[in-house]
Amino acid sequence: MTAETGQEASLELPPQSSLGTAAARNLATTTKSAPQMQEISSRWLLRMLPWVETKGGAYRVNRRLSYTVGDGRVEFVQDGAVVRVIPRELGELALLRGYDDVEVLTALAGRCVQRDFRAGETLVEHGAPADRIHLIAHGRVNRTAPGKYGEDMVVGVLADGDRFGDDALLDADARWESTATAETAGTLLTLSRADFAAVTSSAPGLQAHVERFSSLPLQRQNRHGEAEIAMSAGHTGEPALPGAFVDYELNPREYELSLAQTVLRVHTRVADLYNGPMNQTEEQLRLTIEALRERQEHEMINNREFGLLHNAAFNQRIQTHAGRPSPDDLDELLCRRRGSKFFLAHPRAIAAIGREFNRRGLYPTHVDLGGQQVPAWRGVPILPCGKIPITKEKTTSILVMRTGEDNQGVIGLRQTGLQEEYEPGLSVRFMGIDEKSIISYLVTTYYSAAVLVPDALGVLENVQIAGKHD
């Protein structure tokens, strides 16, 4: 209402004097993008791995004979606050590797004593008599030993499934080579030498197994556990030279190619009538292949048979010193292998690395990788991979690897020359048109990964990625 008249003012729109945009768009040609897909990632692992042609669908890794046994991790079951070791898991101990009498293993598991520890507690003292093995069910334990100049040095970090004190079960004179201190609260189980001897005395099969195991250290071997090649060096005169041969593993591991498949379906009406300006079948196929490649990289990281997280040797898995990924942790990964090609980490782990470096006043350099600047440490690129899992406790893993057959590294496996091959190692086969006018294509990719020698791949485990406010 107006102030003078008290009547409602009419709001009239001015008459339209030209064609409106809404109507004009009916005659316009729309500029459009190709179909977009959020799932597509950088897939650095597939880009960086050297791919080896795998005829026959399998790749055999021949290695020198090794006497290294029983270096796996032990698993437990939890019933409330009570923790028990799974009897068969005791076979992961070097002493019991290959022993499969479930009744005896159950007796040994029943003699394991649970011990709950608190953060900061000293579990064993350096130099003290060692009379039992410790199996860590949960928690983190630091191992320290006196250095040359009297200071304590960290010689290792242990976590869930690790153990220490293997020698104590057989050696009556064994002493602790390091001090074990709990970094967090946790639980471990102990098996004493006396309890082990009591079970062994009533189990002839176990006695024979222990005797066979005790003979293994007499085998001449190098520091990697491989059969030693006898030789002579620095001699004078004409001494008799030792004879030698290189022994091989009798049952080398074979990696069979895995696969990812899907059936792409396109209606003939769509393929016939709606192909301009973009080919519908080609766009459908492009996005399908992207999804298959994403699945391929996921499997190469996480597959329990050949995935890199599950195929890293246990002695190449290390724990962080303080949870967060520090320069010391990355250096520990690098020093365990020669010629590291790249780190692979979840993007959130890379962010955690940056936070920790900044906290210490360090700034990682960058290197050029195919025209793209990526962060690096000691000249080794740190590449993102969102397929590396993050646990509910906000921990993850960081991988580092040496690559290539010539370097005895990590390699990707595939077979090319497939029928109706669309990309190397990927085929698209026409399957026909059904009674509903649906065109079907079988899209298949074959792949696997192999670790040629154990030290080609290392894993930093239990990396804490949560920030201050997470």
Side-chain angles (χ1 to χ4, degrees), residues 65-331:
L65 180 63
S66 173
Y67 296 112
T68 303
V69 294
D71 58 354
R73 287 186 173 169
V74 180
E75 295 184 4
F76 305 82
V77 292
Q78 183 176 2
D79 185 7
V82 178
V83 177
R84 298 186 304 274
V85 62
I86 300 173
R88 287 187 178 274
E89 287 295 312
L90 291 176
E92 294 296 334
L93 305 181
L95 176 59
L96 298 174
R97 174 58 64 90
Y99 184 73
D100 57 2
D101 189 324
V102 178
E103 184 177 346
V104 176
L105 293 176
T106 302
L108 289 172
R111 289 180 177 259
C112 291
V113 178
Q114 179 175 336
R115 175 182 176 183
D116 297 320
F117 55 85
R118 64 184 184 278
E121 181 178 349
T122 300
L123 303 178
V124 301
E125 289 277 1
H126 172 265
D131 65 345
R132 63 193 64 231
I133 187 173
H134 294 68
L135 312 174
I136 302 175
H138 178 66
R140 286 169 55 87
V141 176
N142 273 337
R143 297 175 61 201
T144 58
K148 182 177 180 180
Y149 301 102
E151 77 284 4
D152 285 341
M153 301 184 304
V154 176
V155 296
V157 181
L158 306 177
D160 304 12
D162 288 327
R163 63 188 184 275
F164 57 96
D166 299 58
D167 297 338
L169 293 181
L170 295 181
D171 186 0
D173 298 323
R175 292 186 174 273
W176 296 115
E177 297 179 351
S178 60
T179 297
T181 305
E183 184 177 314
T184 66
T187 301
L188 58 77
L189 282 84
T190 64
L191 177 63
S192 68
R193 186 189 309 127
D195 285 333
F196 182 79
V199 174
T200 303
S201 64
S202 59
L206 181 56
Q207 294 178 29
H209 180 85
V210 171
E211 290 175 1
R212 288 194 299 271
F213 172 81
S214 299
S215 68
L216 287 181
L218 300 177
Q219 303 273 6
R220 298 170 63 182
Q221 51 190 292
N222 61 23
R223 64 188 179 91
H224 300 289
E226 297 170 332
E228 185 179 21
I229 300 176
M231 63 183 66
S232 178
H235 53 273
T236 60
E238 299 178 352
L241 298 180
F245 69 96
V246 181
D247 208 353
Y248 301 132
E249 289 184 354
L250 296 180
N251 297 298
R253 177 168 180 182
E254 288 190 354
Y255 292 86
E256 293 187 1
L257 291 183
S258 184
L259 78 165
Q261 287 182 309
T262 189
V263 176
L264 173 63
R265 296 185 174 92
V266 181
H267 199 285
T268 54
R269 180 171 54 189
V270 172
D272 291 340
L273 303 181
Y274 301 98
N275 269 343
M278 299 177 190
N279 186 298
Q280 292 282 1
T281 302
E282 288 294 329
E283 291 300 323
Q284 288 281 304
L285 183 58
R286 179 179 65 85
L287 297 181
T288 299
I289 291 175
E290 293 283 2
L292 279 178
R293 293 302 192 194
E294 293 291 331
R295 183 64 185 185
Q296 175 182 347
E297 187 175 60
H298 178 275
E299 291 292 305
M300 293 179 69
I301 293 288
N302 297 287
N303 188 282
R304 298 191 66 86
E305 294 297 323
F306 59 86
L308 299 182
L309 280 178
H310 296 281
N311 278 271
F314 286 106
N315 60 4
Q316 296 297 326
R317 300 169 186 259
I318 63 174
Q319 305 296 320
T320 59
H321 288 84
R324 298 182 298 271
S326 68
D328 298 334
D329 297 324
L330 300 187
D331 283 342

Side-chain angles (χ1 to χ4, degrees), residues 337-357:
R337 63 200 40 80
R338 58 179 172 81
S340 296
K341 187 70 172 180
F342 60 90
F343 292 98
L344 200 65
H346 193 281
R348 294 189 61 184
I350 297 178
I353 292 173
R355 288 195 299 269
E356 186 63 15
F357 278 40

